[in-house]
Each structure stands twice: as C-alpha cells, then as structure tokens.
C-alpha cells in the first residue's frame, strides 16, 4: 500500500500536468525515437534502438510512479488548519541562532520540495524538527554540521 501524500492545490496540479505531459508528449517523443532507430537497420545490433527502448521503459515507470502518487494524494483542507503549530504546508519564519538570520520555509511533501522556492520536505531533518513547534519555541535540529537551533517566529498557512 502506498503512503498518503499531502499537497497544496498548486502542487497537485503541477503533478497532474506532468503526468499528462509524459503521457502525450513524452510517449510521442519515445515513439518517434524508436521509429528513427528502427529505420537504421538491423535491430539486433542497433544500440540506438536499445537505448530508445530503455528510455521508453524509464518513461513508463515514471508515469506509473506518478499515477500511484496521484492515487494517494490529498489536498490539505485549509478550513481545518491550526496555525498555532507547524504542520504540513505551514509557512514558517525562523531565526537561525548561529547567525541571527531570518529564513522562511514552507513544509511540503517530498514530491513538492524545492529548496530554491523555499519549500522543504516534511521528511527532511529540518522539516521533522519544525513539525509540531509553536511560535517562540526553539527547535534543535541535528544537521551535518552539528546542532542547528531555529527559533519559530511566525507560522502562516497559504494555499
């Protein structure tokens, strides 16, 4: 049984769009590549054909994987959100104790994580360390460079 993943509406739409793109454009590109390789002659010694068939297998595997994620995906109901504690899809403003720098993170599923966008996975060490904390609390999180202390300054929730 696959585990349930929680998404923002935006994140779920991106995932659906990726599946549609892979099924349409991705499969069409694969068929074209296979046909081009097939046209080059003897298939038993055609490395290009073998590579195209392998790529097709990877594409189909990715589609199945994403469809399984979609089958177990849930959109978080913002009417039931408690903004007094950090939870999945919370946006958290923290102060890093070691350098007094303020950083904002949104805690998302592993599938939506994107550090450049400030979205970190709830399964990451920082994500796990922030979950359940309240404003004013200090999360002590084990990171590769040691223990990092993050003070929770603000918790918001935006879908």
């Amino acid at each position: 049984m696959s585990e349930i993943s929680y998404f923002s509406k935006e994140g779920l739409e991106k995932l659906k769009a990726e599946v549609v793109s892979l099924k349409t454009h991705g499969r069409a590109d694969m068929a074209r590549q296979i046909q081009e390789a097939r046209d080059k002659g003897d298939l038993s010694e055609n490395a290009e054909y073998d590579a195209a068939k392998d790529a097709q297998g990877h594409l189909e595997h990715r589609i199945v994987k994403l469809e399984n994620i979609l089958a177990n995906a849930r959109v978080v109901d913002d009417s039931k959100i408690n903004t007094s504690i950090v939870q999945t899809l919370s946006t958290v403003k923290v102060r890093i104790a070691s350098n007094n720098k303020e950083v904002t993170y949104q805690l998302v599923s592993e599938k939506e994580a994107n550090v450049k966008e400030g979205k970190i996975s709830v399964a990451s060490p920082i994500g796990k360390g922030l979950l359940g904390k309240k404003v004013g609390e200090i999360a002590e999180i084990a990171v590769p460079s040691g223990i990092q202390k993050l003070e929770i300054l603000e918790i918001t929730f935006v879908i």
Side-chain angles (χ1 to χ4, degrees), residues 86 91-105 107 120 126 129-130 133-141 143 147-155:
V86 177
T91 298
V92 186
K93 186 176 185 180
V94 298
R95 179 179 297 120
I96 302 169
S98 62
N99 61 12
N100 217 27
K101 182 179 176 184
E102 291 183 7
V103 181
T104 301
Y105 297 117
L107 276 69
I120 61 170
I126 293 175
L130 293 174
K133 298 289 190 256
K134 297 179 180 182
V135 171
E137 286 188 317
I138 296 177
E140 293 187 14
I141 302 165
V143 295
I147 300 294
Q148 188 173 53
K149 294 181 181 182
L150 303 176
E151 179 185 359
I152 312 299
L153 302 175
E154 183 182 351
I155 302 168

Side-chain angles (χ1 to χ4, degrees), residues 6-76:
Y6 294 93
F7 288 87
S8 63
K9 288 178 189 175
E10 172 190 304
L12 189 61
E13 291 305 316
K14 282 183 182 178
L15 192 63
K16 287 178 181 178
E18 183 178 354
V19 170
V20 168
S21 176
L22 291 175
K23 283 182 165 184
T24 55
H25 302 297
R27 283 180 173 161
D29 287 344
M30 280 297 117
R32 181 186 48 73
Q33 289 176 24
I34 290 169
Q35 184 58 46
E36 287 175 6
R38 190 179 287 144
D39 291 343
K40 292 186 178 174
D42 183 11
L43 298 183
S44 65
E45 296 181 17
N46 189 332
E48 192 174 327
Y49 177 78
D50 291 339
K53 291 298 283 184
D54 284 346
Q56 181 185 37
H58 290 295
L59 173 72
E60 293 302 324
H61 176 73
R62 176 85 175 137
I63 290 170
V64 168
K65 184 177 177 182
L66 292 176
E67 286 177 334
N68 286 335
I69 292 168
L70 282 174
N72 295 294
R74 305 291 184 270
V75 175
V76 175

